[in-house]
Amino acid sequence: MSALDYKYVSDLVIRAQANDSDAFAELYAATYQKQYHFACCYLKDEYLAQDALQETYILALKNLTKLKDPDLLIAWLNQINFRVCYNLNKKKMRYEMEMTDFNSDAGNSDMTSSLENGPEEMIIEIDSKEYLMNQILKLPFTEAQVIILKFYQNMKQEDIAFLMDISRSSVKRYLASGLARLKKMLQQGGNFSL
């Protein structure tokens, strides 16, 4: 992946905002590889990453006129792609859980242990996880992204640094500040602790 000429990209954004379809095609050509690489690393599935890439650029095309500063296109695309990947991964996990439940029989030890805990505990656990994710998504974008990649995607700091095109020390800084901010938010919001 070669370095981008941000001035050139900014000029393309201005042209694309004026309904120049060739300019948007050039924007796509200049940026899709990094976006696809991110989606592959996040989703760990090439086909799902292709879907994420398609959805990312459809949303970008639909909302390009809302981008006030053309110099921020890359950061804006990163945010769109991250949200798309997060939502696709959430749907994928939900589908896998449903398929596991559907395919499991009554003698399955996982199912038995879930039933022993009772439906109330299962609902509390699901609500807690959803609450935590909602709080993470309220953090500044880069902090949320680093936390999700580290703890939900089990990525190493070196891989996160490469993927986000930042230094490893920046990953550590975003992780520390994000976790501190998240801990404070959770302490203010209820019984949850980190």
Side-chain angles (χ1 to χ4, degrees):
M1 288 178 268
S2 60
L4 283 175
D5 178 355
Y6 288 95
K7 172 71 175 125
Y8 175 68
V9 169
S10 181
D11 291 341
L12 287 175
V13 170
I14 293 167
R15 287 179 35 211
Q17 286 177 327
N19 294 327
D20 182 343
S21 60
D22 291 336
F24 189 81
E26 284 183 59
L27 278 173
Y28 174 82
T31 59
Y32 83 92
Q33 287 180 329
K34 185 165 178 56
Q35 299 302 322
Y36 178 69
H37 180 71
F38 175 85
C40 281
C41 289
Y42 189 99
L43 297 167
K44 297 173 179 62
D45 180 328
E46 287 181 31
Y47 298 109
L48 209 51
Q50 291 171 3
D51 290 345
L53 189 69
Q54 181 178 359
E55 190 171 337
T56 296
Y57 282 94
I58 288 171
L59 288 170
L61 180 60
K62 285 181 180 178
N63 296 295
L64 191 61
T65 56
K66 295 177 184 174
L67 180 63
K68 301 296 181 211
D69 186 351
D71 292 337
L72 298 177
L73 175 81
I74 304 302
W76 184 67
L77 276 175
N78 290 344
Q79 288 185 1
I80 293 171
N81 195 11
F82 176 74
R83 299 265 185 214
V84 167
C85 288
Y86 170 77
N87 288 333
L88 285 173
N89 195 49
K90 193 173 173 181
K91 287 178 188 174
K92 176 184 168 189
M93 289 171 55
R94 191 177 302 134
Y95 174 77
E96 288 171 354
M97 283 177 49
E98 288 173 3
M99 291 309 294
T100 301
D101 289 347
F102 179 74
N103 291 327
S104 64
D105 54 279
N108 186 331
S109 62
D110 290 339
M111 183 65 104
T112 304
S113 65
S114 292
L115 291 174
E116 286 172 1
N117 289 339
E120 295 85 11
E121 286 82 11
M122 287 174 34
I123 290 170
I124 290 170
E125 183 178 340
I126 291 168
D127 285 347
S128 297
K129 288 178 181 178
E130 193 168 314
Y131 175 80
L132 180 60
M133 184 54 72
N134 286 335
Q135 296 306 308
I136 291 170
L137 292 174
K138 290 179 183 176
L139 294 171
F141 176 74
T142 307
E143 290 177 359
Q145 191 174 18
V146 168
I147 289 172
I148 290 172
L149 291 174
K150 173 76 174 149
F151 296 107
Y152 287 83
Q153 298 300 320
N154 299 318
M155 292 180 73
K156 295 179 182 175
Q157 290 180 3
E158 300 83 31
D159 297 333
I160 295 170
F162 175 76
L163 191 60
M164 294 178 63
D165 199 22
I166 58 177
S167 68
R168 187 166 182 245
S169 62
S170 293
V171 171
K172 287 181 180 180
R173 188 178 70 248
Y174 287 128
L175 197 54
S177 63
L179 289 174
R181 195 183 316 254
L182 183 61
K183 183 175 182 178
K184 187 176 180 181
M185 288 167 57
L186 293 175
Q187 288 173 342
Q188 292 172 350
N191 303 335
F192 298 96
S193 63
L194 187 63

